[in-house]
Amino acid sequence: MTALVCLVVLLTAGRAAAAERAVVASIDAVGTRLITVSDPQGQAAIDPETVDQVAALEGVRWAFGLGPASDGRSVALPGRAGVAAMRPVVGDLPSEAAAVRGRAPRAVGEAVAGTDAAAALRLVDGAGAVSDGSTVVGVVGVVDTGEDLGFLDALVLYRAASVPTLSQVYVLADDASTVPELQRRIAATVRAGEPSRVQVEASAGVLRLRDAVAGALGASSRQLMLGVLGGGLVLVSVTVLSAVQGRRRDLGRRRAVGASRSAIVVLVLLQTAVAGVMGALVGSVGGVAAVALATGVAPPGSFSAGVAVATVLIGLVGAAPPALLAAYRDPVRILRVP
Protein backbone atom coordinates (compact mmCIF):
# COMPACT_ATOMS: atom_id res chain seq x y z
CA MET A 1 0.00 0.00 0.00
CA THR A 2 2.88 2.36 0.78
CA ALA A 3 4.47 1.60 -2.57
CA LEU A 4 1.18 2.36 -4.31
CA VAL A 5 0.78 5.69 -2.47
CA CYS A 6 4.36 6.74 -3.38
CA LEU A 7 3.84 5.74 -6.98
CA VAL A 8 0.56 7.66 -7.29
CA VAL A 9 2.00 10.78 -5.60
CA LEU A 10 5.00 10.83 -7.93
CA LEU A 11 2.89 10.17 -11.02
CA THR A 12 0.58 13.06 -10.13
CA ALA A 13 2.20 15.65 -7.86
CA GLY A 14 5.70 14.53 -8.88
CA ARG A 15 4.90 15.04 -12.52
CA ALA A 16 3.50 18.48 -11.68
CA ALA A 17 6.67 19.30 -9.72
CA ALA A 18 8.83 18.26 -12.68
CA ALA A 19 6.71 20.43 -14.97
CA GLU A 20 7.04 23.34 -12.51
CA ARG A 21 10.81 23.01 -12.48
CA ALA A 22 10.93 22.91 -16.28
CA VAL A 23 8.66 25.97 -16.64
CA VAL A 24 10.55 28.01 -14.04
CA ALA A 25 13.86 27.02 -15.64
CA SER A 26 12.62 28.28 -19.00
CA ILE A 27 11.56 31.56 -17.37
CA ASP A 28 14.89 31.80 -15.53
CA ALA A 29 16.71 32.68 -18.75
CA VAL A 30 19.39 35.32 -19.00
CA GLY A 31 16.80 38.07 -19.41
CA THR A 32 15.19 37.24 -16.05
CA ARG A 33 18.48 37.31 -14.16
CA LEU A 34 20.11 40.21 -15.99
CA ILE A 35 20.80 43.39 -14.00
CA THR A 36 21.87 46.55 -15.83
CA VAL A 37 23.90 49.37 -14.31
CA SER A 38 23.64 52.37 -16.63
CA ASP A 39 24.56 56.04 -16.99
CA PRO A 40 21.65 57.26 -19.15
CA GLN A 41 22.68 60.92 -19.11
CA GLY A 42 26.42 60.32 -19.50
CA GLN A 43 27.24 62.26 -16.33
CA ALA A 44 27.65 59.52 -13.70
CA ALA A 45 31.27 58.65 -14.67
CA ILE A 46 31.10 54.95 -13.73
CA ASP A 47 34.57 53.68 -12.78
CA PRO A 48 35.77 50.64 -14.81
CA GLU A 49 36.89 49.00 -11.55
CA THR A 50 33.19 48.54 -10.80
CA VAL A 51 33.18 45.49 -13.10
CA ASP A 52 35.69 43.54 -10.97
CA GLN A 53 34.04 44.59 -7.72
CA VAL A 54 30.57 43.59 -8.86
CA ALA A 55 31.84 40.30 -10.33
CA ALA A 56 33.27 39.40 -6.91
CA LEU A 57 29.85 39.65 -5.21
CA GLU A 58 28.24 36.40 -4.07
CA GLY A 59 25.53 35.22 -6.43
CA VAL A 60 27.01 36.88 -9.54
CA ARG A 61 27.76 34.60 -12.49
CA TRP A 62 29.44 37.16 -14.70
CA ALA A 63 29.77 40.90 -15.23
CA PHE A 64 31.17 43.07 -18.00
CA GLY A 65 31.06 46.76 -18.85
CA LEU A 66 30.82 48.82 -22.02
CA GLY A 67 32.32 52.23 -22.64
CA PRO A 68 30.86 55.06 -24.73
CA ALA A 69 29.92 54.31 -28.35
CA SER A 70 31.44 55.71 -31.53
CA ASP A 71 30.66 55.15 -35.21
CA GLY A 72 32.89 52.53 -36.79
CA ARG A 73 33.46 51.93 -40.49
CA SER A 74 35.25 49.23 -42.42
CA VAL A 75 38.82 50.24 -43.32
CA ALA A 76 38.91 47.88 -46.31
CA LEU A 77 35.62 49.17 -47.78
CA PRO A 78 35.46 52.90 -47.03
CA GLY A 79 32.23 54.39 -48.32
CA ARG A 80 30.90 51.01 -49.51
CA ALA A 81 30.05 49.41 -46.19
CA GLY A 82 27.65 50.51 -43.50
CA VAL A 83 28.27 51.87 -40.03
CA ALA A 84 28.31 49.96 -36.73
CA ALA A 85 28.74 51.23 -33.19
CA MET A 86 32.17 50.57 -31.64
CA ARG A 87 32.37 50.21 -27.87
CA PRO A 88 35.28 49.28 -25.58
CA VAL A 89 34.56 46.29 -23.35
CA VAL A 90 35.83 45.79 -19.80
CA GLY A 91 35.77 42.24 -18.46
CA ASP A 92 35.25 38.93 -20.23
CA LEU A 93 32.33 38.45 -22.58
CA PRO A 94 29.84 35.88 -21.23
CA SER A 95 29.58 32.36 -22.54
CA GLU A 96 26.12 33.25 -23.88
CA ALA A 97 27.90 35.33 -26.53
CA ALA A 98 28.85 32.29 -28.61
CA ALA A 99 31.41 32.77 -31.37
CA VAL A 100 30.02 31.96 -34.80
CA ARG A 101 33.36 32.55 -36.50
CA GLY A 102 36.81 33.33 -35.17
CA ARG A 103 37.43 33.87 -31.46
CA ALA A 104 36.92 36.34 -28.64
CA PRO A 105 39.19 39.40 -28.35
CA ARG A 106 42.15 38.88 -26.03
CA ALA A 107 44.74 41.60 -26.65
CA VAL A 108 44.43 45.37 -26.80
CA GLY A 109 43.22 46.42 -30.25
CA GLU A 110 41.36 43.19 -30.96
CA ALA A 111 37.59 43.24 -31.43
CA VAL A 112 34.62 41.00 -31.96
CA ALA A 113 31.57 41.96 -34.01
CA GLY A 114 27.96 40.99 -33.46
CA THR A 115 26.19 39.29 -36.35
CA ASP A 116 24.31 42.46 -37.34
CA ALA A 117 27.43 44.61 -37.10
CA ALA A 118 29.44 42.11 -39.18
CA ALA A 119 26.74 42.20 -41.87
CA ALA A 120 26.66 46.00 -41.88
CA LEU A 121 30.44 46.24 -42.15
CA ARG A 122 30.56 43.43 -44.75
CA LEU A 123 32.98 41.33 -42.72
CA VAL A 124 32.34 38.22 -44.80
CA ASP A 125 35.07 36.12 -43.19
CA GLY A 126 34.50 37.54 -39.72
CA ALA A 127 37.78 39.46 -39.81
CA GLY A 128 38.90 42.93 -40.85
CA ALA A 129 39.86 46.37 -39.60
CA VAL A 130 37.30 48.86 -38.27
CA SER A 131 37.96 52.49 -37.44
CA ASP A 132 36.01 55.36 -35.91
CA GLY A 133 38.53 57.92 -37.13
CA SER A 134 40.73 57.91 -34.05
CA THR A 135 40.86 54.22 -33.06
CA VAL A 136 41.54 51.30 -35.38
CA VAL A 137 40.73 47.79 -34.18
CA GLY A 138 41.07 44.37 -35.77
CA VAL A 139 37.97 42.19 -35.76
CA VAL A 140 38.97 38.61 -34.93
CA GLY A 141 35.56 37.01 -34.61
CA VAL A 142 31.80 37.25 -35.02
CA VAL A 143 29.42 36.37 -32.16
CA ASP A 144 25.75 35.55 -31.94
CA THR A 145 24.51 36.72 -28.56
CA GLY A 146 21.06 35.17 -28.75
CA GLU A 147 17.74 36.71 -27.79
CA ASP A 148 18.52 37.84 -24.26
CA LEU A 149 21.76 39.66 -25.14
CA GLY A 150 20.60 40.63 -28.60
CA PHE A 151 21.52 44.27 -28.03
CA LEU A 152 25.17 43.25 -28.53
CA ASP A 153 24.56 41.98 -32.07
CA ALA A 154 24.79 45.48 -33.54
CA LEU A 155 28.06 46.34 -31.78
CA VAL A 156 31.78 46.00 -32.39
CA LEU A 157 33.32 45.27 -28.97
CA TYR A 158 37.04 45.87 -28.63
CA ARG A 159 39.76 45.72 -26.03
CA ALA A 160 41.19 49.13 -25.18
CA ALA A 161 44.38 50.01 -23.30
CA SER A 162 42.30 52.12 -20.94
CA VAL A 163 38.65 53.04 -20.58
CA PRO A 164 38.05 56.28 -18.64
CA THR A 165 34.41 55.65 -17.80
CA LEU A 166 31.68 53.10 -18.51
CA SER A 167 28.20 53.69 -19.89
CA GLN A 168 26.73 50.32 -18.86
CA VAL A 169 27.61 47.34 -16.72
CA TYR A 170 25.72 44.10 -17.31
CA VAL A 171 25.48 41.58 -14.45
CA LEU A 172 23.98 38.08 -14.49
CA ALA A 173 22.68 36.59 -11.23
CA ASP A 174 23.04 32.88 -10.52
CA ASP A 175 19.42 32.61 -9.39
CA ALA A 176 16.44 34.74 -10.37
CA SER A 177 15.12 34.67 -6.80
CA THR A 178 18.20 36.57 -5.57
CA VAL A 179 17.90 39.40 -8.11
CA PRO A 180 16.16 41.97 -5.84
CA GLU A 181 18.72 41.55 -3.05
CA LEU A 182 21.62 41.45 -5.51
CA GLN A 183 20.30 44.60 -7.17
CA ARG A 184 20.55 46.45 -3.84
CA ARG A 185 24.09 45.19 -3.19
CA ILE A 186 25.22 46.18 -6.68
CA ALA A 187 23.84 49.70 -6.18
CA ALA A 188 25.93 49.98 -3.01
CA THR A 189 29.03 48.62 -4.76
CA VAL A 190 29.08 50.77 -7.91
CA ARG A 191 31.89 53.33 -8.00
CA ALA A 192 31.02 56.53 -9.85
CA GLY A 193 31.78 60.23 -9.83
CA GLU A 194 28.05 60.99 -9.47
CA PRO A 195 26.44 57.93 -7.83
CA SER A 196 23.00 59.58 -7.78
CA ARG A 197 22.91 59.53 -11.59
CA VAL A 198 23.52 55.77 -11.80
CA GLN A 199 20.53 53.55 -12.54
CA VAL A 200 20.45 49.88 -11.46
CA GLU A 201 17.60 48.05 -13.19
CA ALA A 202 16.31 44.49 -13.47
CA SER A 203 13.43 42.81 -15.28
CA ALA A 204 10.87 43.40 -12.53
CA GLY A 205 7.93 42.35 -14.68
CA VAL A 206 9.51 39.05 -15.66
CA LEU A 207 10.46 38.35 -12.04
CA ARG A 208 6.87 38.90 -10.94
CA LEU A 209 5.72 36.55 -13.69
CA ARG A 210 8.20 33.92 -12.52
CA ASP A 211 7.01 34.16 -8.90
CA ALA A 212 3.36 34.03 -9.97
CA VAL A 213 3.85 30.98 -12.20
CA ALA A 214 5.98 29.15 -9.62
CA GLY A 215 3.45 29.95 -6.88
CA ALA A 216 0.45 28.76 -8.91
CA LEU A 217 2.12 25.54 -10.03
CA GLY A 218 3.51 24.88 -6.56
CA ALA A 219 0.11 25.36 -4.90
CA SER A 220 -1.52 22.97 -7.38
CA SER A 221 1.15 20.30 -6.75
CA ARG A 222 0.82 20.61 -2.97
CA GLN A 223 -2.97 20.32 -3.06
CA LEU A 224 -2.76 17.26 -5.26
CA MET A 225 -0.13 15.65 -3.06
CA LEU A 226 -2.11 16.33 0.14
CA GLY A 227 -5.18 14.77 -1.42
CA VAL A 228 -3.31 11.61 -2.41
CA LEU A 229 -1.59 11.35 1.00
CA GLY A 230 -4.94 11.82 2.75
CA GLY A 231 -6.40 8.96 0.73
CA GLY A 232 -3.30 6.90 1.50
CA LEU A 233 -3.77 7.52 5.22
CA VAL A 234 -7.26 6.04 5.07
CA LEU A 235 -6.14 3.06 2.99
CA VAL A 236 -3.20 2.30 5.28
CA SER A 237 -5.45 2.47 8.35
CA VAL A 238 -7.90 0.04 6.78
CA THR A 239 -5.10 -2.28 5.65
CA VAL A 240 -3.41 -2.37 9.07
CA LEU A 241 -6.77 -2.83 10.78
CA SER A 242 -7.46 -5.84 8.57
CA ALA A 243 -4.02 -7.23 9.34
CA VAL A 244 -4.57 -6.76 13.09
CA GLN A 245 -7.95 -8.44 12.87
CA GLY A 246 -6.37 -11.41 11.12
CA ARG A 247 -3.69 -11.69 13.82
CA ARG A 248 -5.90 -11.03 16.82
CA ARG A 249 -5.37 -14.51 18.31
CA ASP A 250 -1.59 -14.23 17.98
CA LEU A 251 -1.61 -10.80 19.61
CA GLY A 252 -4.02 -12.10 22.29
CA ARG A 253 -1.60 -14.95 23.15
CA ARG A 254 1.24 -12.43 23.53
CA ARG A 255 -0.90 -10.40 25.92
CA ALA A 256 -1.90 -13.56 27.83
CA VAL A 257 1.72 -14.60 28.41
CA GLY A 258 2.67 -11.19 29.77
CA ALA A 259 3.31 -8.82 26.87
CA SER A 260 2.46 -5.23 27.81
CA ARG A 261 0.12 -3.03 25.86
CA SER A 262 3.01 -0.77 24.82
CA ALA A 263 4.89 -3.82 23.49
CA ILE A 264 1.91 -4.71 21.28
CA VAL A 265 1.71 -1.13 19.98
CA VAL A 266 5.45 -1.07 19.23
CA LEU A 267 5.24 -4.45 17.50
CA VAL A 268 2.44 -3.35 15.15
CA LEU A 269 4.10 0.00 14.41
CA LEU A 270 7.49 -1.62 13.83
CA GLN A 271 6.06 -4.11 11.36
CA THR A 272 4.24 -1.27 9.60
CA ALA A 273 7.42 0.83 9.47
CA VAL A 274 9.52 -1.99 7.96
CA ALA A 275 6.91 -2.72 5.31
CA GLY A 276 6.42 1.01 4.73
CA VAL A 277 10.13 1.72 4.15
CA MET A 278 10.41 -1.15 1.67
CA GLY A 279 7.26 -0.04 -0.10
CA ALA A 280 8.38 3.60 -0.19
CA LEU A 281 11.69 2.62 -1.80
CA VAL A 282 9.99 0.50 -4.46
CA GLY A 283 7.29 3.09 -5.13
CA SER A 284 9.74 6.01 -5.27
CA VAL A 285 12.09 4.29 -7.71
CA GLY A 286 9.19 3.23 -9.91
CA GLY A 287 7.54 6.65 -9.76
CA VAL A 288 10.70 8.60 -10.60
CA ALA A 289 11.46 6.25 -13.50
CA ALA A 290 7.90 6.51 -14.82
CA VAL A 291 7.86 10.33 -14.66
CA ALA A 292 11.28 10.57 -16.30
CA LEU A 293 10.19 8.27 -19.14
CA ALA A 294 6.88 10.07 -19.63
CA THR A 295 8.10 13.69 -19.46
CA GLY A 296 11.84 13.51 -19.98
CA VAL A 297 12.33 15.41 -16.69
CA ALA A 298 12.66 13.65 -13.33
CA PRO A 299 11.06 15.17 -10.20
CA PRO A 300 13.54 17.01 -7.94
CA GLY A 301 15.46 14.65 -5.68
CA SER A 302 14.38 16.52 -2.55
CA PHE A 303 10.73 16.18 -3.60
CA SER A 304 11.04 12.42 -4.19
CA ALA A 305 12.78 11.88 -0.87
CA GLY A 306 10.19 14.01 0.90
CA VAL A 307 7.36 11.99 -0.62
CA ALA A 308 8.95 8.74 0.56
CA VAL A 309 9.44 10.02 4.12
CA ALA A 310 5.95 11.53 4.24
CA THR A 311 4.42 8.27 3.03
CA VAL A 312 6.19 6.25 5.73
CA LEU A 313 5.07 8.74 8.40
CA ILE A 314 1.52 8.66 7.05
CA GLY A 315 1.66 4.86 7.31
CA LEU A 316 2.71 5.06 10.97
CA VAL A 317 -0.04 7.55 11.76
CA GLY A 318 -2.59 5.34 10.02
CA ALA A 319 -1.33 2.28 11.90
CA ALA A 320 -1.60 3.91 15.33
CA PRO A 321 -5.38 3.43 15.88
CA PRO A 322 -5.34 -0.28 14.88
CA ALA A 323 -2.27 -0.81 17.09
CA LEU A 324 -4.04 0.75 20.09
CA LEU A 325 -7.12 -1.32 19.36
CA ALA A 326 -5.05 -4.51 19.37
CA ALA A 327 -3.26 -3.52 22.58
CA TYR A 328 -6.45 -2.78 24.58
CA ARG A 329 -8.45 -5.82 23.57
CA ASP A 330 -9.24 -8.35 26.28
CA PRO A 331 -6.98 -11.40 25.62
CA VAL A 332 -9.36 -13.72 27.47
CA ARG A 333 -12.25 -12.87 25.17
CA ILE A 334 -10.03 -13.27 22.07
CA LEU A 335 -8.69 -16.69 23.14
CA ARG A 336 -12.01 -18.05 24.47
CA VAL A 337 -13.16 -21.08 22.54
CA PRO A 338 -16.89 -20.92 21.68
Side-chain angles (χ1 to χ4, degrees):
M1 188 58 63
T2 305
L4 179 61
V5 172
C6 271
L7 183 61
V8 173
V9 169
L10 288 172
L11 287 177
T12 53
R15 187 167 183 170
E20 175 189 350
R21 185 171 66 169
V23 171
V24 172
S26 67
I27 296 176
D28 285 347
V30 174
T32 313
R33 298 177 285 137
L34 189 65
I35 302 172
T36 304
V37 180
S38 61
D39 178 11
Q41 299 175 345
Q43 299 175 350
I46 301 175
D47 194 319
E49 292 185 3
T50 296
V51 174
D52 290 335
Q53 294 176 346
V54 169
L57 293 176
E58 184 180 358
V60 172
R61 177 165 299 184
W62 50 250
F64 69 93
L66 300 179
S70 59
D71 291 337
R73 292 176 171 81
S74 173
V75 173
L77 300 170
R80 290 187 291 166
V83 178
M86 294 174 52
R87 301 189 68 174
V89 60
V90 176
D92 295 328
L93 290 176
S95 58
E96 287 79 5
V100 177
R101 295 188 297 276
R103 58 175 176 82
R106 299 168 187 164
V108 173
E110 292 185 342
V112 64
T115 51
D116 294 343
L121 297 171
R122 298 188 182 181
L123 301 175
V124 179
D125 298 326
V130 180
S131 173
D132 63 358
S134 60
T135 302
V136 179
V137 298
V139 176
V140 296
V142 177
V143 296
D144 182 3
T145 54
E147 181 180 353
D148 296 309
L149 297 177
F151 57 88
L152 299 179
D153 284 342
L155 302 178
V156 175
L157 306 175
Y158 66 93
R159 295 288 182 188
S162 64
V163 181
T165 60
L166 298 177
S167 299
Q168 286 92 22
V169 177
Y170 297 97
V171 185
L172 185 69
D174 283 326
D175 189 344
S177 63
T178 65
V179 167
E181 174 60 26
L182 187 58
Q183 188 176 352
R184 289 189 287 270
R185 287 193 285 139
I186 289 173
T189 305
V190 172
R191 297 181 58 181
E194 296 288 342
S196 61
R197 298 184 181 274
V198 176
Q199 293 184 359
V200 182
E201 300 174 326
S203 303
V206 180
L207 288 173
R208 286 193 293 270
L209 172 64
R210 175 193 184 274
D211 293 339
V213 171
L217 292 176
S220 176
S221 326
R222 287 189 293 271
Q223 291 173 0
L224 188 58
M225 182 177 68
L226 290 175
V228 175
L229 289 177
L233 174 63
V234 174
L235 291 176
V236 168
S237 295
V238 172
T239 302
V240 176
L241 180 60
S242 300
V244 168
Q245 284 291 99
R247 298 180 54 209
R248 62 183 183 277
R249 287 188 174 278
D250 176 55
L251 297 175
R253 291 190 196 96
R254 292 175 184 269
R255 288 280 291 119
V257 298
S260 64
R261 290 189 173 93
S262 59
I264 298 299
V265 172
V266 170
L267 176 64
V268 174
L269 293 181
L270 183 61
Q271 292 174 339
T272 302
V274 171
V277 169
M278 295 176 61
L281 289 175
V282 173
S284 297
V285 172
V288 170
V291 172
L293 289 174
T295 65
V297 181
S302 57
F303 179 85
S304 302
V307 168
V309 172
T311 305
V312 173
L313 293 178
I314 286 293
L316 291 176
V317 171
L324 291 173
L325 178 64
Y328 281 88
R329 276 177 172 170
D330 184 3
V332 176
R333 172 181 293 182
I334 295 173
L335 296 176
R336 181 183 299 158
V337 178

